[in-house]
Amino acid sequence: MKFTPLKLPGVLEIGIEPEIDARGFFARLFDLEAFAAHGLPTHFAQHSLSHNERAGTLRGLHYQAGGLEAKLVRCVAGRAFDVIVDLRRSGPTYGQWCSVELAAISHNAVFIPAGCAHGFQTLVDGTELMYQIDVAYDAQAAAGIRWDDPSLAIAWPLADPILSARDRALPYLT
Ligand SMILES: Cc1cn([C@H]2C[C@H](O)[C@@H](COP(=O)(O)OP(=O)(O)O[C@H]3O[C@@H](C)C(=O)[C@@H](O)[C@H]3O)O2)c(=O)[nH]c1=O
């Protein structure tokens, strides 16, 4: 497995190192020792799947109030523009964002540490993202920031995104 730091501290793109033969390949997606060596969680309380019918669907930007949720996100069908926003007020990159394209064909994943918000926009119909989340979902703690916050100015690839009513009503970052 390959661990590549992205622009924000603690955000890593995780790639596979496939063992290729005439049949195809075999690749590890999770390795307890490697995750521990990179300071990543080795226990994930919930694995979840997000299915998105249409290209342009945008979910986010979400975080858990209290900033305690870390997650590993991978695309298992289609492609998505994935965004991480740093909400760690005491850190030097507070309010900054970074992105990575997650694609089923690339077999990559992104690790999002606690204290960051997350969102994505699907690039093709039928895109699915799989989450491995280190703490159990707490509906009362679900929080978010508007996808089009002017102070973030995220360069979403597709115009007129498909949004949930909840995401349309999220507050701006203050
Ligand atoms: C996220 C989540 C939602 N739900 C429920 C709540 C609701 O009835 C339904 C849909 O919830 P949402 O609209 O919040 O789903 P969604 O907009 O897909 O939320 C997700 O967005 C991306 C960007 C993330 O990073 C995720 O952590 C999560 O916040 O599923 C759970 O039961 N467990 C969960 O872990």
Side-chain angles (χ1 to χ4, degrees):
M1 300 173 72
K2 286 183 290 197
F3 296 80
T4 307
L6 299 185
K7 193 182 90 176
L8 301 174
V11 179
L12 300 173
E13 182 177 5
I14 301 174
I16 60 168
E17 292 182 306
E19 300 288 342
I20 301 167
D21 65 24
R23 300 165 299 175
F25 71 77
F26 183 92
R28 193 166 299 149
L29 298 179
F30 172 75
D31 181 321
L32 190 145
E33 287 187 8
F35 270 52
H38 286 86
L40 306 184
T42 53
H43 170 81
F44 293 97
Q46 297 184 345
H47 297 205
S48 301
L49 188 67
S50 170
H51 173 81
N52 302 276
E53 288 287 324
R54 310 297 300 175
T57 302
L58 194 161
R59 300 188 188 227
L61 303 156
H62 297 164
Y63 64 96
Q64 292 282 297
L68 294 175
E69 179 190 82
K71 55 199 166 193
L72 183 66
V73 183
R74 81 172 56 251
C75 184
V76 293
R79 291 190 297 128
F81 175 80
D82 201 83
V83 172
I84 302 99
V85 180
D86 197 332
L87 300 178
R88 295 167 290 190
R89 284 186 180 274
S90 55
T93 48
Y94 172 78
Q96 295 184 27
W97 61 277
C98 69
S99 66
V100 60
E101 183 172 313
L102 299 177
I105 199 164
S106 304
H107 309 288
N108 59 340
V110 64
F111 176 75
I112 303 165
C116 293
H118 171 247
F120 66 87
Q121 186 176 40
T122 61
L123 300 174
V124 295
D125 291 350
T127 292
E128 295 190 334
L129 266 66
M130 191 187 108
Y131 294 86
Q132 292 169 258
I133 306 177
D134 69 340
V135 293
Y137 177 67
D138 175 2
Q140 302 307 315
I145 302 161
R146 272 279 290 269
W147 65 282
D148 57 351
D149 187 298
S151 73
L152 297 172
I154 295 168
W156 298 105
L158 301 180
D160 302 322
I162 300 164
L163 294 157
S164 68
R166 175 185 165 237
D167 285 355
R168 273 195 297 273
L170 288 174
Y172 291 114
L173 184 64
T174 50

mmCIF file of all heavy atoms in Angstrom, residues 46 48 50 52 58-64 69 71 73 112 117-120 131 133 136-139 142-143 164 166-167, ligand 1:
data_model
loop_
_atom_site.group_PDB
_atom_site.id
_atom_site.type_symbol
_atom_site.label_atom_id
_atom_site.label_comp_id
_atom_site.label_asym_id
_atom_site.label_seq_id
_atom_site.Cartn_x
_atom_site.Cartn_y
_atom_site.Cartn_z
ATOM 1 N N GLN A 46 -17.942 1.508 11.770
ATOM 2 C CA GLN A 46 -19.003 1.340 10.775
ATOM 3 C C GLN A 46 -18.426 1.431 9.365
ATOM 4 O O GLN A 46 -17.561 2.276 9.098
ATOM 5 C CB GLN A 46 -20.096 2.414 10.974
ATOM 6 C CG GLN A 46 -20.777 2.278 12.335
ATOM 7 C CD GLN A 46 -21.935 3.238 12.559
ATOM 8 O OE1 GLN A 46 -22.103 4.214 11.841
ATOM 9 N NE2 GLN A 46 -22.727 2.957 13.579
ATOM 10 N N SER A 48 -19.892 1.963 5.525
ATOM 11 C CA SER A 48 -21.145 2.401 4.906
ATOM 12 C C SER A 48 -20.941 2.651 3.419
ATOM 13 O O SER A 48 -19.811 2.863 2.962
ATOM 14 C CB SER A 48 -21.643 3.691 5.572
ATOM 15 O OG SER A 48 -21.842 3.481 6.956
ATOM 16 N N SER A 50 -22.406 4.838 -0.039
ATOM 17 C CA SER A 50 -23.185 5.961 -0.554
ATOM 18 C C SER A 50 -23.389 5.734 -2.045
ATOM 19 O O SER A 50 -22.427 5.753 -2.827
ATOM 20 C CB SER A 50 -22.398 7.258 -0.306
ATOM 21 O OG SER A 50 -22.980 8.342 -0.979
ATOM 22 N N ASN A 52 -25.094 6.948 -5.590
ATOM 23 C CA ASN A 52 -25.517 8.222 -6.189
ATOM 24 C C ASN A 52 -25.940 7.973 -7.637
ATOM 25 O O ASN A 52 -25.119 7.588 -8.472
ATOM 26 C CB ASN A 52 -24.370 9.229 -6.119
ATOM 27 C CG ASN A 52 -23.932 9.451 -4.686
ATOM 28 O OD1 ASN A 52 -24.524 10.246 -3.979
ATOM 29 N ND2 ASN A 52 -22.929 8.696 -4.225
ATOM 30 N N LEU A 58 -23.867 16.197 -5.199
ATOM 31 C CA LEU A 58 -22.878 16.741 -4.259
ATOM 32 C C LEU A 58 -23.381 16.485 -2.837
ATOM 33 O O LEU A 58 -24.503 16.860 -2.494
ATOM 34 C CB LEU A 58 -22.713 18.245 -4.515
ATOM 35 C CG LEU A 58 -21.521 18.962 -3.885
ATOM 36 C CD1 LEU A 58 -21.262 20.284 -4.603
ATOM 37 C CD2 LEU A 58 -21.660 19.196 -2.403
ATOM 38 N N ARG A 59 -22.571 15.818 -2.038
ATOM 39 C CA ARG A 59 -22.892 15.589 -0.616
ATOM 40 C C ARG A 59 -21.836 16.294 0.213
ATOM 41 O O ARG A 59 -20.646 16.120 -0.001
ATOM 42 C CB ARG A 59 -22.921 14.100 -0.305
ATOM 43 C CG ARG A 59 -23.966 13.319 -1.112
ATOM 44 C CD ARG A 59 -24.067 11.892 -0.603
ATOM 45 N NE ARG A 59 -24.901 11.056 -1.456
ATOM 46 C CZ ARG A 59 -25.852 10.250 -1.020
ATOM 47 N NH1 ARG A 59 -26.107 10.166 0.272
ATOM 48 N NH2 ARG A 59 -26.543 9.500 -1.861
ATOM 49 N N GLY A 60 -22.265 17.075 1.197
ATOM 50 C CA GLY A 60 -21.307 17.759 2.040
ATOM 51 C C GLY A 60 -21.672 19.222 2.198
ATOM 52 O O GLY A 60 -22.671 19.680 1.667
ATOM 53 N N LEU A 61 -20.804 19.909 2.911
ATOM 54 C CA LEU A 61 -19.553 19.446 3.540
ATOM 55 C C LEU A 61 -19.874 19.043 4.971
ATOM 56 O O LEU A 61 -20.358 19.877 5.737
ATOM 57 C CB LEU A 61 -18.521 20.578 3.540
ATOM 58 C CG LEU A 61 -18.206 21.126 2.148
ATOM 59 C CD1 LEU A 61 -17.683 22.545 2.218
ATOM 60 C CD2 LEU A 61 -17.184 20.230 1.470
ATOM 61 N N HIS A 62 -19.616 17.813 5.331
ATOM 62 C CA HIS A 62 -20.109 17.273 6.600
ATOM 63 C C HIS A 62 -18.975 17.001 7.592
ATOM 64 O O HIS A 62 -17.881 16.616 7.206
ATOM 65 C CB HIS A 62 -20.836 15.950 6.354
ATOM 66 C CG HIS A 62 -22.051 16.101 5.496
ATOM 67 N ND1 HIS A 62 -22.667 15.053 4.880
ATOM 68 C CD2 HIS A 62 -22.774 17.209 5.156
ATOM 69 C CE1 HIS A 62 -23.718 15.482 4.195
ATOM 70 N NE2 HIS A 62 -23.793 16.791 4.337
ATOM 71 N N TYR A 63 -19.321 17.152 8.863
ATOM 72 C CA TYR A 63 -18.435 16.731 9.956
ATOM 73 C C TYR A 63 -19.301 16.403 11.164
ATOM 74 O O TYR A 63 -20.505 16.706 11.171
ATOM 75 C CB TYR A 63 -17.413 17.834 10.302
ATOM 76 C CG TYR A 63 -18.008 19.113 10.839
ATOM 77 C CD1 TYR A 63 -18.086 19.357 12.212
ATOM 78 C CD2 TYR A 63 -18.496 20.102 9.977
ATOM 79 C CE1 TYR A 63 -18.629 20.547 12.706
ATOM 80 C CE2 TYR A 63 -19.055 21.278 10.466
ATOM 81 C CZ TYR A 63 -19.111 21.492 11.830
ATOM 82 O OH TYR A 63 -19.666 22.652 12.311
ATOM 83 N N GLN A 64 -18.703 15.785 12.133
ATOM 84 C CA GLN A 64 -19.402 15.498 13.384
ATOM 85 C C GLN A 64 -18.991 16.554 14.400
ATOM 86 O O GLN A 64 -17.788 16.759 14.630
ATOM 87 C CB GLN A 64 -19.021 14.106 13.913
ATOM 88 C CG GLN A 64 -19.539 12.956 13.050
ATOM 89 C CD GLN A 64 -21.024 12.669 13.295
ATOM 90 O OE1 GLN A 64 -21.425 12.298 14.387
ATOM 91 N NE2 GLN A 64 -21.839 12.864 12.263
ATOM 92 N N GLU A 69 -14.608 12.397 14.509
ATOM 93 C CA GLU A 69 -14.778 11.333 13.507
ATOM 94 C C GLU A 69 -13.666 11.346 12.465
ATOM 95 O O GLU A 69 -13.432 12.355 11.816
ATOM 96 C CB GLU A 69 -16.129 11.527 12.821
ATOM 97 C CG GLU A 69 -16.423 10.519 11.742
ATOM 98 C CD GLU A 69 -17.663 10.922 10.937
ATOM 99 O OE1 GLU A 69 -17.539 11.750 10.018
ATOM 100 O OE2 GLU A 69 -18.737 10.412 11.242
ATOM 101 N N LYS A 71 -12.242 9.078 8.990
ATOM 102 C CA LYS A 71 -12.792 8.075 8.068
ATOM 103 C C LYS A 71 -11.895 7.843 6.868
ATOM 104 O O LYS A 71 -11.117 8.717 6.468
ATOM 105 C CB LYS A 71 -14.194 8.448 7.629
ATOM 106 C CG LYS A 71 -14.355 9.797 7.014
ATOM 107 C CD LYS A 71 -15.824 10.223 7.069
ATOM 108 C CE LYS A 71 -15.970 11.694 6.783
ATOM 109 N NZ LYS A 71 -17.294 12.210 7.104
ATOM 110 N N VAL A 73 -12.256 6.826 2.923
ATOM 111 C CA VAL A 73 -13.282 6.885 1.885
ATOM 112 C C VAL A 73 -12.683 6.376 0.573
ATOM 113 O O VAL A 73 -11.605 6.826 0.167
ATOM 114 C CB VAL A 73 -13.786 8.340 1.700
ATOM 115 C CG1 VAL A 73 -14.911 8.395 0.672
ATOM 116 C CG2 VAL A 73 -14.254 8.924 3.020
ATOM 117 N N ILE A 112 -9.323 10.753 6.049
ATOM 118 C CA ILE A 112 -9.716 12.080 6.518
ATOM 119 C C ILE A 112 -9.660 12.075 8.037
ATOM 120 O O ILE A 112 -10.425 11.362 8.696
ATOM 121 C CB ILE A 112 -11.140 12.416 6.022
ATOM 122 C CG1 ILE A 112 -11.179 12.310 4.493
ATOM 123 C CG2 ILE A 112 -11.563 13.797 6.506
ATOM 124 C CD1 ILE A 112 -12.563 12.268 3.907
ATOM 125 N N ALA A 117 -13.922 18.568 7.668
ATOM 126 C CA ALA A 117 -15.199 18.317 7.004
ATOM 127 C C ALA A 117 -14.921 17.637 5.669
ATOM 128 O O ALA A 117 -13.830 17.761 5.103
ATOM 129 C CB ALA A 117 -15.953 19.626 6.794
ATOM 130 N N HIS A 118 -15.947 16.944 5.177
ATOM 131 C CA HIS A 118 -15.773 16.163 3.947
ATOM 132 C C HIS A 118 -16.983 16.326 3.036
ATOM 133 O O HIS A 118 -18.122 16.431 3.509
ATOM 134 C CB HIS A 118 -15.608 14.675 4.316
ATOM 135 C CG HIS A 118 -15.646 13.763 3.140
ATOM 136 N ND1 HIS A 118 -16.659 12.854 2.923
ATOM 137 C CD2 HIS A 118 -14.797 13.643 2.085
ATOM 138 C CE1 HIS A 118 -16.420 12.204 1.802
ATOM 139 N NE2 HIS A 118 -15.309 12.659 1.274
ATOM 140 N N GLY A 119 -16.705 16.353 1.746
ATOM 141 C CA GLY A 119 -17.780 16.349 0.764
ATOM 142 C C GLY A 119 -17.259 15.790 -0.547
ATOM 143 O O GLY A 119 -16.056 15.620 -0.738
ATOM 144 N N PHE A 120 -18.192 15.495 -1.442
ATOM 145 C CA PHE A 120 -17.759 15.034 -2.771
ATOM 146 C C PHE A 120 -18.826 15.364 -3.796
ATOM 147 O O PHE A 120 -19.992 15.601 -3.457
ATOM 148 C CB PHE A 120 -17.465 13.528 -2.773
ATOM 149 C CG PHE A 120 -18.659 12.645 -2.534
ATOM 150 C CD1 PHE A 120 -19.473 12.231 -3.575
ATOM 151 C CD2 PHE A 120 -18.972 12.224 -1.259
ATOM 152 C CE1 PHE A 120 -20.572 11.418 -3.346
ATOM 153 C CE2 PHE A 120 -20.076 11.411 -1.009
ATOM 154 C CZ PHE A 120 -20.875 11.002 -2.063
ATOM 155 N N TYR A 131 -17.419 4.075 2.911
ATOM 156 C CA TYR A 131 -16.822 4.717 4.079
ATOM 157 C C TYR A 131 -16.451 3.679 5.114
ATOM 158 O O TYR A 131 -17.234 2.765 5.381
ATOM 159 C CB TYR A 131 -17.842 5.631 4.775
ATOM 160 C CG TYR A 131 -18.286 6.818 3.994
ATOM 161 C CD1 TYR A 131 -19.329 6.732 3.100
ATOM 162 C CD2 TYR A 131 -17.662 8.041 4.179
ATOM 163 C CE1 TYR A 131 -19.747 7.836 2.390
ATOM 164 C CE2 TYR A 131 -18.080 9.158 3.470
ATOM 165 C CZ TYR A 131 -19.121 9.037 2.584
ATOM 166 O OH TYR A 131 -19.533 10.138 1.881
ATOM 167 N N ILE A 133 -15.557 4.220 9.003
ATOM 168 C CA ILE A 133 -15.594 5.333 9.957
ATOM 169 C C ILE A 133 -15.223 4.807 11.339
ATOM 170 O O ILE A 133 -15.702 3.740 11.752
ATOM 171 C CB ILE A 133 -16.996 5.988 9.952
ATOM 172 C CG1 ILE A 133 -17.356 6.389 8.515
ATOM 173 C CG2 ILE A 133 -17.033 7.187 10.884
ATOM 174 C CD1 ILE A 133 -18.732 6.972 8.323
ATOM 175 N N ALA A 136 -19.065 5.399 15.817
ATOM 176 C CA ALA A 136 -20.448 5.163 15.390
ATOM 177 C C ALA A 136 -21.127 6.484 15.028
ATOM 178 O O ALA A 136 -20.816 7.536 15.608
ATOM 179 C CB ALA A 136 -21.217 4.469 16.505
ATOM 180 N N TYR A 137 -22.031 6.436 14.045
ATOM 181 C CA TYR A 137 -22.778 7.623 13.614
ATOM 182 C C TYR A 137 -23.629 8.148 14.761
ATOM 183 O O TYR A 137 -24.306 7.385 15.445
ATOM 184 C CB TYR A 137 -23.668 7.241 12.425
ATOM 185 C CG TYR A 137 -24.541 8.363 11.918
ATOM 186 C CD1 TYR A 137 -23.981 9.481 11.313
ATOM 187 C CD2 TYR A 137 -25.920 8.297 12.032
ATOM 188 C CE1 TYR A 137 -24.779 10.503 10.824
ATOM 189 C CE2 TYR A 137 -26.733 9.310 11.538
ATOM 190 C CZ TYR A 137 -26.147 10.413 10.940
ATOM 191 O OH TYR A 137 -26.936 11.425 10.461
ATOM 192 N N ASP A 138 -23.601 9.459 14.927
ATOM 193 C CA ASP A 138 -24.405 10.116 15.955
ATOM 194 C C ASP A 138 -25.206 11.218 15.255
ATOM 195 O O ASP A 138 -24.657 12.283 14.932
ATOM 196 C CB ASP A 138 -23.482 10.694 17.042
ATOM 197 C CG ASP A 138 -24.250 11.487 18.087
ATOM 198 O OD1 ASP A 138 -25.488 11.570 17.996
ATOM 199 O OD2 ASP A 138 -23.586 12.042 18.987
ATOM 200 N N ALA A 139 -26.475 10.965 15.021
ATOM 201 C CA ALA A 139 -27.301 11.912 14.254
ATOM 202 C C ALA A 139 -27.340 13.288 14.917
ATOM 203 O O ALA A 139 -27.391 14.315 14.227
ATOM 204 C CB ALA A 139 -28.715 11.359 14.104
ATOM 205 N N ALA A 142 -24.376 15.400 13.828
ATOM 206 C CA ALA A 142 -24.157 15.650 12.392
ATOM 207 C C ALA A 142 -24.209 17.157 12.126
ATOM 208 O O ALA A 142 -25.163 17.832 12.488
ATOM 209 C CB ALA A 142 -25.218 14.918 11.574
ATOM 210 N N ALA A 143 -23.148 17.666 11.493
ATOM 211 C CA ALA A 143 -23.040 19.110 11.242
ATOM 212 C C ALA A 143 -22.420 19.315 9.866
ATOM 213 O O ALA A 143 -21.910 18.363 9.244
ATOM 214 C CB ALA A 143 -22.168 19.759 12.322
ATOM 215 N N SER A 164 -29.093 17.593 -1.237
ATOM 216 C CA SER A 164 -30.200 17.301 -0.323
ATOM 217 C C SER A 164 -30.718 18.632 0.234
ATOM 218 O O SER A 164 -30.003 19.648 0.237
ATOM 219 C CB SER A 164 -29.728 16.409 0.827
ATOM 220 O OG SER A 164 -28.840 17.131 1.662
ATOM 221 N N ARG A 166 -31.156 19.264 3.274
ATOM 222 C CA ARG A 166 -30.310 19.575 4.435
ATOM 223 C C ARG A 166 -29.028 20.291 3.994
ATOM 224 O O ARG A 166 -28.629 21.293 4.579
ATOM 225 C CB ARG A 166 -29.959 18.278 5.171
ATOM 226 C CG ARG A 166 -28.996 18.475 6.301
ATOM 227 C CD ARG A 166 -28.568 17.149 6.942
ATOM 228 N NE ARG A 166 -27.388 17.386 7.757
ATOM 229 C CZ ARG A 166 -26.235 16.750 7.605
ATOM 230 N NH1 ARG A 166 -26.096 15.819 6.700
ATOM 231 N NH2 ARG A 166 -25.217 17.048 8.367
ATOM 232 N N ASP A 167 -28.408 19.801 2.944
ATOM 233 C CA ASP A 167 -27.148 20.411 2.509
ATOM 234 C C ASP A 167 -27.363 21.815 1.940
ATOM 235 O O ASP A 167 -26.509 22.693 2.089
ATOM 236 C CB ASP A 167 -26.432 19.520 1.501
ATOM 237 C CG ASP A 167 -25.781 18.316 2.168
ATOM 238 O OD1 ASP A 167 -25.809 18.247 3.415
ATOM 239 O OD2 ASP A 167 -25.253 17.451 1.453
HETATM 240 C C1 LIG B 1 -23.948 9.442 7.368
HETATM 241 C C2 LIG B 1 -25.027 8.530 7.957
HETATM 242 C C3 LIG B 1 -26.349 8.748 7.670
HETATM 243 N N1 LIG B 1 -27.304 7.956 8.194
HETATM 244 C C4 LIG B 1 -28.715 8.220 7.843
HETATM 245 C C5 LIG B 1 -29.235 9.585 8.222
HETATM 246 C C6 LIG B 1 -30.227 9.895 7.118
HETATM 247 O O1 LIG B 1 -31.486 9.290 7.423
HETATM 248 C C7 LIG B 1 -29.665 9.179 5.903
HETATM 249 C C8 LIG B 1 -28.911 10.104 4.962
HETATM 250 O O2 LIG B 1 -28.002 10.852 5.736
HETATM 251 P P1 LIG B 1 -27.197 12.069 5.095
HETATM 252 O O3 LIG B 1 -28.122 12.873 4.263
HETATM 253 O O4 LIG B 1 -26.479 12.756 6.210
HETATM 254 O O5 LIG B 1 -26.181 11.300 4.161
HETATM 255 P P2 LIG B 1 -24.946 11.905 3.378
HETATM 256 O O6 LIG B 1 -25.275 13.257 2.882
HETATM 257 O O7 LIG B 1 -24.486 10.919 2.398
HETATM 258 O O8 LIG B 1 -23.874 12.042 4.544
HETATM 259 C C9 LIG B 1 -22.538 11.696 4.324
HETATM 260 O O9 LIG B 1 -21.927 12.724 3.546
HETATM 261 C C10 LIG B 1 -20.548 12.560 3.310
HETATM 262 C C11 LIG B 1 -20.042 13.791 2.589
HETATM 263 C C12 LIG B 1 -19.763 12.156 4.502
HETATM 264 O O10 LIG B 1 -18.598 12.539 4.679
HETATM 265 C C13 LIG B 1 -20.409 11.176 5.420
HETATM 266 O O11 LIG B 1 -19.690 11.044 6.641
HETATM 267 C C14 LIG B 1 -21.841 11.525 5.669
HETATM 268 O O12 LIG B 1 -21.926 12.738 6.412
HETATM 269 O O13 LIG B 1 -28.805 8.146 6.416
HETATM 270 C C15 LIG B 1 -26.990 6.908 9.021
HETATM 271 O O14 LIG B 1 -27.872 6.174 9.516
HETATM 272 N N2 LIG B 1 -25.673 6.653 9.300
HETATM 273 C C16 LIG B 1 -24.671 7.429 8.798
HETATM 274 O O15 LIG B 1 -23.455 7.172 9.057
#
